[in-house]
Amino acid sequence: MSVAVLEVEVAYAVPDRAWRIALRLPAGATVADALAAADLPARIPGVVVDPGALAVFGQAATPETRLHPGDRVEVLRPLLADP
């Protein structure tokens, strides 16, 4: 049985706040589709989404990465200090 709708979320965090946007997207949706639907720039002033700084559950992803039910797209920020 194929999934007609994917329930996923997009997450973004700063030190004192986190956003988790739940989405319902059509089957076959990509990270780019999730980011477009979440519209982070309209929700979070000053946010800039770097296509090279994306992950799905902590695993590097690209805008073309296909999503699966329950996935969490993470918009990563640059490190402030080198660990």
Side-chain angles (χ1 to χ4, degrees), residues 2-79:
S2 66
V3 177
V5 176
L6 298 175
E7 292 188 13
V8 299
E9 72 178 8
V10 173
Y12 179 77
V14 293
D16 61 342
R17 174 125 192 246
W19 290 263
R20 291 174 54 190
I21 299 110
L23 301 169
R24 292 174 55 95
L25 301 172
T30 64
V31 167
D33 296 327
L35 292 172
D39 195 12
L40 293 180
R43 295 172 189 264
I44 308 166
V47 72
V48 176
V49 177
D50 177 357
L54 301 169
V56 174
F57 284 124
Q59 299 297 312
T62 67
E64 296 79 24
T65 299
R66 292 221 179 250
L67 297 172
H68 301 93
D71 276 352
R72 179 183 66 229
V73 175
E74 300 156 349
V75 178
L76 308 174
R77 296 180 300 115
L79 294 175

